[in-house]
Amino acid sequence: MKKKIIRITTVPMSLIGLLGGQLRYMSTYFSILGVASRGSKNELSSLQKLEGVPTYAIEMTRKITPIKDLIAVYKLYKLFKKERPFIVHSHTPKAGTLSMLAAKLAGVPHRLHTIAGLPLLEATGFKRTVLNTVEKITYACATKIYPNSHGLKHIILEHKFTSNDKLKVIAEGSSNGIDTDRFNPEKFDNEDKNRTLKKSLNIHEEDFVFVFVGRLVSDKGVNELIEAFNKISGTHKNTKLLLLGDYENELDPLFEDTLNSISKNKQIVSTGWVHDVCPYFAISNVLTFPSYREGFPNVVMQAGAMGLPCIVTDINGCNEIIIEGKNGTIIPVKNKDILYDKMLNMLLGHIRFDPGICRNLIVSRYQREVVWKALLEEYNHLKP
């Protein structure tokens, strides 16, 4: 009989997107159960079809909601006592805290949590104190913590959230690696389709296209990006900034000036969330990703696999994926002037990158099968 592993994220799209393909792969070796909130459109129901594993819905919120959180812990505890898993492995902050606590109370032998970023790094005052405490509780309840980058591991140790012997980076980093077959520019080398997509977005053939993919929030550096691009677009009319992502006004709103610029600057194209970013990468020239904090950003790997050079900030994950001068350039966090300078020099052709090198640096280090096999080996080394 296969040993049971319960994989948990706060929202279903993390199981579907963040870990795409991984649960199906692991189900060959273990009995896998996927757990998350049901989702506003019952997205969790699609996981069984996509990954071939059963699911169980437990409502969890991304914000601090004490009553709802306690209810979720109780429901998780009951689930773990019933299912008696060999491993509970969580991703995303809230799911990590709730499931690690519940798993410890339920006596689950192996309680694993993957860290893909630390939102608390941008918090201050009382909120920071609360988040630090919650983080320490999560790590104390877990038996193993997997930072998904070496930089993140160092940050965890610097903040003394846990001891070094509890920490391990799987493979070269990343929670799931990258599907380099899907993110392959040769599959999107279709002039007619690219021309049609450009026309729908009001992007002209001669335009130089910067692209940003992610949540449209302050922590992603979107305020600095818009300010830098406004300066460029004022003097270079053959440029576009393509924004792929949704706003999160409740959690981390953009500045009012930023929102006004996005709505008024006709050289900025905001699409909202898109299901498949590949065609958009195919019509773009450079990924701009000036985030304040990350774990191991998928979007940088995706863009690189599509042959795009990347402008990223000097933060963990980004500064491991990007090798300065090889597949992109690294800039200081929250520095709109240097961001502007790098964007302008790429636009003018003063800085050039080989698309083939950009892609090969991702393929050679972050193919998702490499990450899956390393995680499988980790699971197999855990003793009953």
Side-chain angles (χ1 to χ4, degrees):
M1 182 179 292
K2 293 179 181 178
K3 295 176 182 176
K4 178 162 287 187
I5 298 178
I6 298 181
R7 302 294 298 271
I8 303 179
T9 62
T10 308
V11 297
M13 288 310 298
S14 295
L15 280 177
I16 296 167
L18 180 66
L19 301 176
Q22 189 178 130
L23 273 61
R24 180 178 291 277
Y25 174 84
M26 291 298 174
S27 67
T28 303
Y29 308 94
F30 296 93
S31 174
I32 303 294
L33 175 64
V35 175
S37 302
R38 192 176 304 279
S40 60
K41 298 180 180 178
N42 197 23
E43 294 90 344
L44 186 62
S45 64
S46 63
L47 183 69
Q48 187 162 358
K49 181 179 179 181
L50 291 170
E51 297 286 340
V53 301
T55 62
Y56 190 87
I58 291 181
E59 295 308 310
M60 291 173 275
T61 64
R62 292 174 64 186
K63 296 187 288 185
I64 297 174
T65 51
I67 301 300
K68 291 181 180 179
D69 294 343
L70 286 172
I71 293 171
V73 168
Y74 176 67
K75 289 182 177 180
L76 286 164
Y77 169 81
K78 286 180 64 179
L79 176 67
F80 299 156
K81 292 296 284 186
K82 177 185 176 183
E83 298 290 337
R84 303 182 66 82
F86 175 62
I87 295 169
V88 168
H89 187 173
S90 60
H91 294 253
T92 66
K94 178 58 79 67
T97 301
L98 302 183
S99 63
M100 290 299 98
L101 176 57
K104 184 174 178 63
L105 293 172
V108 176
H110 298 287
R111 306 177 297 275
L112 317 178
H113 180 55
T114 293
I115 305 292
L118 288 171
L120 60 84
L121 294 179
E122 292 299 317
T124 58
F126 178 71
K127 182 179 180 181
R128 176 62 178 267
T129 300
V130 171
L131 291 176
N132 280 351
T133 302
V134 170
E135 202 75 12
K136 289 179 180 179
I137 291 171
T138 304
Y139 295 7
C141 292
T143 55
K144 200 76 177 179
I145 299 291
Y146 301 128
N148 70 348
S149 75
H150 293 283
L152 191 53
K153 178 181 177 181
H154 294 319
I155 291 172
I156 291 169
L157 289 173
E158 285 174 7
H159 287 77
K160 300 180 179 179
F161 288 136
T162 192
S163 58
N164 186 56
D165 61 352
K166 240 185 193 183
L167 299 171
K168 183 175 182 178
V169 177
I170 301 296
E172 297 263 351
S174 172
S175 300
N176 200 39
I178 184 77
D179 183 350
T180 55
D181 182 55
R182 176 189 170 199
F183 290 93
N184 185 341
E186 292 182 1
K187 291 193 170 184
F188 298 88
D189 188 17
N190 186 315
E191 290 187 6
D192 289 337
K193 284 187 176 180
N194 290 348
R195 208 172 281 124
T196 299
L197 179 58
K198 285 182 177 180
K199 185 176 180 180
S200 71
L201 298 170
N202 195 32
I203 294 173
H204 304 119
E205 287 298 316
E206 67 275 12
D207 284 344
F208 188 97
V209 181
F210 298 99
V211 61
F212 169 88
V213 181
R215 294 175 296 114
L216 299 180
V217 295
S218 292
D219 275 6
K220 293 290 185 182
V222 176
N223 294 309
E224 290 82 0
L225 174 58
I226 297 302
E227 191 166 347
F229 183 76
N230 276 343
K231 192 174 178 182
I232 288 173
S233 64
T235 54
H236 295 82
K237 299 302 180 184
N238 63 327
T239 60
K240 290 290 195 302
L241 173 61
L242 190 53
L243 302 175
L244 310 182
D246 286 333
Y247 297 94
E248 289 191 359
N249 295 325
E250 291 184 9
L251 293 175
D252 187 18
L254 296 172
F255 297 157
E256 195 64 35
D257 287 347
T258 300
L259 293 171
N260 288 336
S261 292
I262 292 172
S263 64
K264 293 179 180 178
N265 189 336
K266 294 183 178 180
Q267 290 172 246
I268 298 176
V269 182
S270 182
T271 66
W273 184 85
V274 298
H275 176 69
D276 185 5
V277 296
C278 291
Y280 298 86
F281 282 142
I283 63 169
S284 300
N285 299 95
V286 176
L287 174 74
T288 49
F289 195 70
S291 183
Y292 298 173
R293 56 171 182 84
E294 293 293 328
F296 210 88
N298 285 332
V299 64
V300 179
M301 291 188 292
Q302 292 167 357
M306 288 292 290
L308 266 63
C310 304
I311 302 174
V312 301
T313 38
D314 191 9
I315 57 175
N316 57 273
C318 287
N319 57 16
E320 295 175 42
I321 300 168
I322 298 303
I323 301 172
E324 180 64 42
K326 296 289 187 180
N327 58 343
T329 187
I330 302 170
I331 66 172
V333 176
K334 301 181 183 180
N335 194 316
K336 62 181 182 296
D337 295 325
I338 295 180
L339 174 60
Y340 161 78
D341 181 67
K342 294 293 185 179
M343 291 173 70
L344 181 63
N345 277 287
M346 285 195 179
L347 167 64
L348 297 176
H350 297 162
I351 306 175
R352 296 181 183 274
F353 296 90
D354 183 329
I357 292 176
C358 292
R359 174 168 168 78
N360 288 338
L361 282 171
I362 300 301
V363 173
S364 62
R365 296 181 291 163
Y366 303 118
Q367 279 184 312
R368 62 182 185 174
E369 289 80 5
V370 173
V371 177
W372 294 351
K373 289 176 182 177
L375 183 59
L376 176 61
E377 185 178 351
E378 180 74 3
Y379 285 163
N380 285 333
H381 279 140
L382 298 175
K383 297 179 181 179

